[in-house]
Protein backbone atom coordinates (compact mmCIF):
# COMPACT_ATOMS: atom_id res chain seq x y z
CA UNK A 1 0.00 0.00 0.00
CA UNK A 2 1.36 3.42 -0.92
CA UNK A 3 1.85 5.79 2.00
CA UNK A 4 1.05 9.32 0.86
CA UNK A 5 0.00 12.64 2.39
CA UNK A 6 -3.71 11.89 2.13
CA UNK A 7 -3.32 8.52 3.85
CA UNK A 8 -1.28 9.99 6.70
CA UNK A 9 -3.82 12.75 7.25
CA UNK A 10 -6.69 10.26 7.22
CA UNK A 11 -4.93 8.03 9.77
CA UNK A 12 -4.13 10.99 12.00
CA UNK A 13 -7.73 12.22 11.92
CA UNK A 14 -9.02 8.76 12.74
CA UNK A 15 -6.62 8.36 15.67
CA UNK A 16 -7.49 11.75 17.15
CA UNK A 17 -11.22 11.06 16.83
CA UNK A 18 -10.76 7.66 18.49
CA UNK A 19 -8.82 9.26 21.35
CA UNK A 20 -11.65 11.72 21.90
CA UNK A 21 -14.33 9.03 21.82
CA UNK A 22 -12.44 6.82 24.28
CA UNK A 23 -11.55 9.61 26.68
CA UNK A 24 -7.89 8.84 26.13
CA UNK A 25 -5.27 10.54 28.25
CA UNK A 26 -3.07 13.16 26.65
CA UNK A 27 0.33 13.85 28.25
CA UNK A 28 0.26 17.40 29.57
CA UNK A 29 2.87 19.72 28.08
CA UNK A 30 2.21 22.62 30.45
CA UNK A 31 4.19 23.14 33.67
CA UNK A 32 1.13 24.70 35.27
CA UNK A 33 -0.76 21.40 35.29
CA UNK A 34 0.08 17.95 36.54
CA UNK A 35 -0.82 14.44 35.50
CA UNK A 36 -2.87 13.96 32.37
CA UNK A 37 -5.93 15.47 30.77
CA UNK A 38 -8.88 13.62 29.31
CA UNK A 39 -10.13 14.54 25.86
CA UNK A 40 -13.59 13.13 26.53
CA UNK A 41 -16.39 15.68 26.23
CA UNK A 42 -14.03 18.54 25.46
CA UNK A 43 -14.16 20.91 22.55
CA UNK A 44 -10.65 22.23 23.30
CA UNK A 45 -7.45 20.42 24.24
CA UNK A 46 -6.23 23.32 26.35
CA UNK A 47 -8.03 26.33 27.90
CA UNK A 48 -7.77 29.44 25.72
CA UNK A 49 -5.07 31.77 27.05
CA UNK A 50 -5.89 35.43 27.34
CA UNK A 51 -3.39 37.96 26.03
CA UNK A 52 -5.36 40.91 27.33
CA UNK A 53 -2.96 43.78 27.81
CA UNK A 54 -0.24 42.24 25.65
CA UNK A 55 1.93 44.73 23.77
CA UNK A 56 1.72 44.53 19.99
CA UNK A 57 5.14 44.05 18.40
CA UNK A 58 6.36 47.07 16.44
CA UNK A 59 8.17 47.31 13.13
CA UNK A 60 11.90 47.07 13.69
CA UNK A 61 14.41 49.65 12.47
CA UNK A 62 17.72 48.10 13.52
CA UNK A 63 19.48 46.71 10.40
CA UNK A 64 21.29 44.17 12.60
CA UNK A 65 18.07 42.71 13.99
CA UNK A 66 16.74 39.18 13.52
CA UNK A 67 13.17 38.69 14.72
CA UNK A 68 12.30 35.25 16.11
CA UNK A 69 8.58 34.51 15.78
CA UNK A 70 7.41 31.70 18.06
CA UNK A 71 4.15 29.77 17.99
CA UNK A 72 1.01 30.61 19.93
CA UNK A 73 1.52 27.78 22.44
CA UNK A 74 5.29 28.28 22.75
CA UNK A 75 6.53 28.10 26.38
CA UNK A 76 2.97 28.21 27.72
CA UNK A 77 0.73 25.30 26.70
CA UNK A 78 3.73 23.50 25.20
CA UNK A 79 7.12 23.62 26.92
CA UNK A 80 9.13 21.03 24.97
CA UNK A 81 9.64 20.23 21.29
CA UNK A 82 8.26 17.05 19.81
CA UNK A 83 11.69 15.54 20.45
CA UNK A 84 11.64 16.53 24.13
CA UNK A 85 13.95 19.58 24.06
CA UNK A 86 12.89 22.38 26.46
CA UNK A 87 11.71 25.36 24.43
CA UNK A 88 13.54 27.74 26.77
CA UNK A 89 16.78 26.06 25.68
CA UNK A 90 15.78 26.14 22.01
CA UNK A 91 15.24 29.88 22.20
CA UNK A 92 18.42 30.45 24.19
CA UNK A 93 20.53 28.65 21.60
CA UNK A 94 18.95 30.37 18.59
CA UNK A 95 19.59 33.75 20.22
CA UNK A 96 23.14 32.75 21.14
CA UNK A 97 23.86 31.82 17.52
CA UNK A 98 22.60 35.21 16.34
CA UNK A 99 24.68 37.05 18.92
CA UNK A 100 27.82 35.05 18.10
CA UNK A 101 27.68 36.57 14.63
CA UNK A 102 27.38 40.08 16.03
CA UNK A 103 23.68 40.55 15.32
CA UNK A 104 20.81 41.15 17.74
CA UNK A 105 17.60 39.20 18.33
CA UNK A 106 14.04 40.09 19.25
CA UNK A 107 11.35 37.56 20.18
CA UNK A 108 7.67 37.93 19.31
CA UNK A 109 4.75 35.54 19.69
CA UNK A 110 2.76 35.03 16.49
CA UNK A 111 -0.94 34.72 17.27
CA UNK A 112 -2.52 34.89 13.82
CA UNK A 113 -1.09 31.76 12.17
CA UNK A 114 0.28 28.37 13.19
CA UNK A 115 1.93 27.73 9.81
CA UNK A 116 5.69 27.93 10.36
CA UNK A 117 6.37 29.36 6.88
CA UNK A 118 3.99 32.26 7.41
CA UNK A 119 5.25 32.73 10.98
CA UNK A 120 8.79 33.10 9.71
CA UNK A 121 7.77 35.44 6.89
CA UNK A 122 5.83 37.69 9.28
CA UNK A 123 8.84 37.76 11.60
CA UNK A 124 11.05 38.72 8.65
CA UNK A 125 8.71 41.53 7.62
CA UNK A 126 8.77 42.86 11.18
CA UNK A 127 12.56 42.64 11.41
CA UNK A 128 14.74 45.68 10.85
CA UNK A 129 17.05 43.55 8.70
CA UNK A 130 14.32 41.76 6.76
CA UNK A 131 15.46 38.37 8.10
CA UNK A 132 13.31 36.37 10.49
CA UNK A 133 13.06 32.94 12.06
CA UNK A 134 9.82 31.07 12.72
CA UNK A 135 9.68 28.33 15.36
CA UNK A 136 6.61 26.19 15.93
CA UNK A 137 6.13 24.86 19.45
CA UNK A 138 6.87 21.35 18.22
CA UNK A 139 10.26 22.57 17.01
CA UNK A 140 9.89 22.89 13.24
CA UNK A 141 11.86 25.96 12.15
CA UNK A 142 12.22 28.22 9.09
CA UNK A 143 14.60 31.04 8.21
CA UNK A 144 12.85 33.56 5.98
CA UNK A 145 13.41 36.82 4.14
CA UNK A 146 10.78 39.55 3.93
CA UNK A 147 10.60 39.83 0.12
CA UNK A 148 10.22 36.11 -0.61
CA UNK A 149 7.00 34.18 -1.17
CA UNK A 150 5.73 32.27 1.91
CA UNK A 151 6.84 28.88 0.61
CA UNK A 152 10.10 30.16 -0.87
CA UNK A 153 12.15 30.41 2.31
CA UNK A 154 15.90 30.59 2.89
CA UNK A 155 16.15 27.40 4.96
CA UNK A 156 13.58 24.90 6.24
CA UNK A 157 14.10 22.41 9.08
CA UNK A 158 11.06 20.10 8.94
CA UNK A 159 12.19 17.08 10.96
CA UNK A 160 11.96 18.50 14.46
CA UNK A 161 12.31 15.11 16.23
CA UNK A 162 15.86 14.84 14.87
CA UNK A 163 17.00 18.35 15.77
CA UNK A 164 19.27 19.13 18.71
CA UNK A 165 20.40 22.29 20.46
CA UNK A 166 23.49 22.64 18.29
CA UNK A 167 21.24 22.67 15.22
CA UNK A 168 19.19 25.50 16.71
CA UNK A 169 22.38 27.42 17.50
CA UNK A 170 23.52 26.99 13.89
CA UNK A 171 20.13 28.27 12.71
CA UNK A 172 20.74 31.45 14.68
CA UNK A 173 24.21 31.80 13.16
CA UNK A 174 22.97 31.30 9.61
CA UNK A 175 20.16 33.81 10.06
CA UNK A 176 22.71 36.35 11.23
CA UNK A 177 24.96 35.59 8.26
CA UNK A 178 22.06 36.25 5.89
CA UNK A 179 21.70 39.66 7.56
CA UNK A 180 25.39 40.39 6.96
CA UNK A 181 25.17 39.28 3.35
CA UNK A 182 27.82 36.63 3.83
CA UNK A 183 28.03 33.35 1.99
CA UNK A 184 25.90 30.89 3.92
CA UNK A 185 26.40 27.14 3.96
CA UNK A 186 23.03 25.41 4.47
CA UNK A 187 22.87 23.44 7.69
CA UNK A 188 23.13 19.70 7.25
CA UNK A 189 20.38 17.89 9.11
CA UNK A 190 19.84 14.24 9.89
CA UNK A 191 17.10 12.76 7.72
CA UNK A 192 15.01 9.72 8.57
CA UNK A 193 12.11 8.83 6.25
CA UNK A 194 10.39 6.94 9.07
CA UNK A 195 10.27 9.89 11.46
CA UNK A 196 7.14 11.40 9.97
CA UNK A 197 5.12 8.23 10.36
CA UNK A 198 6.44 7.64 13.88
CA UNK A 199 5.60 11.12 15.17
CA UNK A 200 2.61 12.00 12.98
CA UNK A 201 -0.07 11.64 15.63
CA UNK A 202 1.90 13.53 18.29
CA UNK A 203 2.68 16.25 15.75
CA UNK A 204 -1.01 16.53 14.88
CA UNK A 205 -2.02 16.85 18.53
CA UNK A 206 0.64 19.51 19.17
CA UNK A 207 -0.47 21.42 16.08
CA UNK A 208 -4.08 21.36 17.31
CA UNK A 209 -2.98 22.75 20.68
CA UNK A 210 -1.02 25.51 18.92
CA UNK A 211 -3.84 26.41 16.55
CA UNK A 212 -6.39 26.59 19.37
CA UNK A 213 -4.36 29.36 20.99
CA UNK A 214 -4.46 31.69 17.99
CA UNK A 215 -5.80 35.20 18.56
CA UNK A 216 -5.74 36.97 15.17
CA UNK A 217 -6.88 40.28 16.62
CA UNK A 218 -3.66 40.44 18.64
CA UNK A 219 -1.43 39.60 15.67
CA UNK A 220 2.19 39.56 16.87
CA UNK A 221 2.98 40.52 20.43
CA UNK A 222 6.14 41.26 22.39
CA UNK A 223 7.09 37.98 23.99
CA UNK A 224 10.57 37.93 25.50
CA UNK A 225 10.18 38.53 29.21
CA UNK A 226 6.40 38.78 28.87
CA UNK A 227 5.52 35.44 30.51
Amino acid sequence: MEVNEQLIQAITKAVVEQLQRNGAKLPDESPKSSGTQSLAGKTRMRPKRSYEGAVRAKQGTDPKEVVIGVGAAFQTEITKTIGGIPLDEVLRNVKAGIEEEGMVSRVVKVLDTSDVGFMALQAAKLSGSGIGIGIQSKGTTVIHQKDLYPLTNLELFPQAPLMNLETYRKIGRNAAKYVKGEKVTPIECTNDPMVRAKFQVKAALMHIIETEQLDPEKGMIVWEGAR
Side-chain angles (χ1 to χ4, degrees):
M1 178 175 60
E2 180 184 0
V3 178
N4 54 34
E5 183 74 19
Q6 290 72 28
L7 178 58
I8 291 174
Q9 290 178 354
I11 293 173
T12 301
K13 181 179 179 181
V15 171
V16 172
E17 289 176 349
Q18 188 64 47
L19 285 171
Q20 292 173 325
R21 284 196 298 270
N22 294 345
K25 301 296 183 177
L26 177 68
D28 188 18
E29 298 285 348
S30 172
K32 296 183 179 179
S33 303
S34 59
T36 56
Q37 293 184 343
S38 171
L39 297 178
K42 291 192 174 184
T43 57
R44 301 183 60 85
M45 294 177 68
R46 294 286 187 274
K48 181 67 180 291
R49 181 171 295 269
S50 172
Y51 287 100
E52 187 68 30
V55 178
R56 185 177 289 270
K58 296 181 179 179
Q59 177 64 48
T61 58
D62 188 343
K64 298 175 69 175
E65 175 185 69
V66 177
V67 170
I68 304 168
V70 300
F74 197 95
Q75 295 177 300
T76 48
E77 290 69 33
I78 298 175
T79 61
K80 295 180 181 179
T81 70
I82 195 170
I85 303 174
L87 292 177
D88 288 351
E89 287 299 302
V90 168
L91 200 53
R92 186 180 69 81
N93 277 270
V94 173
K95 291 169 58 181
I98 293 170
E99 292 163 7
E100 286 167 6
E101 293 294 330
M103 300 295 103
V104 297
S105 63
R106 176 162 59 113
V107 184
V108 302
K109 177 164 273 200
V110 183
L111 297 176
D112 53 4
T113 180
S114 56
D115 183 291
V116 69
F118 284 89
M119 287 166 52
L121 180 58
Q122 290 184 200
K125 289 180 177 179
L126 197 68
S127 173
S129 69
I131 299 296
I133 299 171
I135 310 176
Q136 286 179 322
S137 296
K138 64 187 178 71
T140 305
T141 304
V142 168
I143 304 175
H144 225 308
Q145 184 173 304
K146 68 176 183 179
D147 54 358
L148 296 178
Y149 290 111
L151 300 181
T152 311
N153 51 68
L154 295 174
E155 292 188 60
L156 167 64
F157 306 89
Q159 293 201 322
L162 302 179
M163 295 172 68
N164 55 39
L165 289 176
E166 180 58 28
T167 302
Y168 287 108
R169 203 178 194 96
K170 289 178 180 178
I171 289 171
R173 291 189 197 124
N174 269 18
K177 289 179 180 179
Y178 285 115
V179 173
K180 295 190 288 185
E182 295 183 359
K183 181 179 179 181
V184 178
T185 302
I187 299 167
E188 292 186 6
C189 298
T190 304
N191 184 51
D192 182 351
M194 296 305 297
V195 161
R196 179 161 187 164
K198 182 178 179 181
F199 287 90
Q200 184 69 23
V201 172
K202 185 176 181 180
L205 294 174
M206 294 178 79
H207 186 70
I208 291 170
I209 293 171
E210 185 117 282
T211 302
E212 284 183 337
Q213 296 301 321
L214 295 180
D215 190 346
E217 291 186 0
K218 298 293 183 184
M220 289 186 286
I221 61 172
V222 174
W223 182 242
E224 192 167 21
R227 285 183 293 158

